[in-house]
Amino acid sequence: MRRGTLLLGAALLGVACGGGGGSAAGSVSGGGPKTTAGSPARGSANVILSDEIEASGATNALDAIQRLRPAMLRGRGAVTLEASAGGPVAIMLRVDDILVGTIDQATNIAALSIKEIRFLSPPDATTRFGTGYPKGAVLITTKRR
């Protein structure tokens, strides 16, 4: 009898502490990818894929980032000597592994030509490309025909 009471109590405690079971299809709660009927799953906070860009209705790369991952536009690096001296410090933009300038240049890239947009933190960008990325880098990979 006592053992049955303990098992029943443990089961009730498990349900009361968030045991509610599965979630309905298309639900945005929980830890999985966020989806709604007809829209692509949202992936990593640092990556935007072409299907998500197309579904967003964005016209250029900067518009896609602003709509889908605005946090990419907030540099994540520390304030540097260059910044304290009044120099320009911006997120750098690389398209197909070629440095094209700052993130402002992303307005020149048509959204439908993009395969992937990826943000690299300042340490990751510096490790991969060398110095000059105090706020990180946005890498755009275009669709090659």
Side-chain angles (χ1 to χ4, degrees):
M1 176 83 166
R2 184 177 173 134
R3 184 178 203 181
T5 305
L6 286 174
L7 290 175
L8 179 60
L12 288 174
L13 182 61
V15 170
C17 290
S23 61
S27 172
V28 294
S29 64
K34 296 178 182 179
T35 61
T36 56
S39 71
R42 182 175 191 258
S44 166
N46 291 332
V47 178
I48 307 171
L49 299 175
S50 62
D51 58 343
E52 201 176 348
I53 294 168
E54 291 170 14
S56 76
T59 57
N60 61 55
L62 186 59
D63 187 27
I65 296 168
Q66 288 171 335
R67 290 178 187 216
L68 299 168
R69 306 285 193 291
M72 283 185 180
L73 299 175
R74 289 185 224 105
R76 297 183 181 118
V79 176
T80 63
L81 291 175
E82 183 181 12
S84 62
V89 176
I91 298 168
M92 301 306 288
L93 177 67
R94 295 184 73 96
V95 178
D96 294 328
D97 272 338
I98 299 171
L99 180 64
V100 295
T102 64
I103 192 67
D104 299 331
Q105 298 297 316
T107 57
N108 300 327
I109 302 165
L112 295 179
S113 71
I114 299 170
K115 179 180 178 183
E116 176 185 280
I117 300 173
R118 179 176 300 267
F119 178 81
L120 290 181
S121 67
D124 291 341
T126 299
T127 299
R128 186 167 173 183
F129 304 115
T131 59
Y133 298 89
K135 293 293 181 184
V138 169
L139 311 178
I140 296 177
T141 304
T142 59
K143 296 175 183 175
R144 295 183 179 95
R145 297 181 205 257

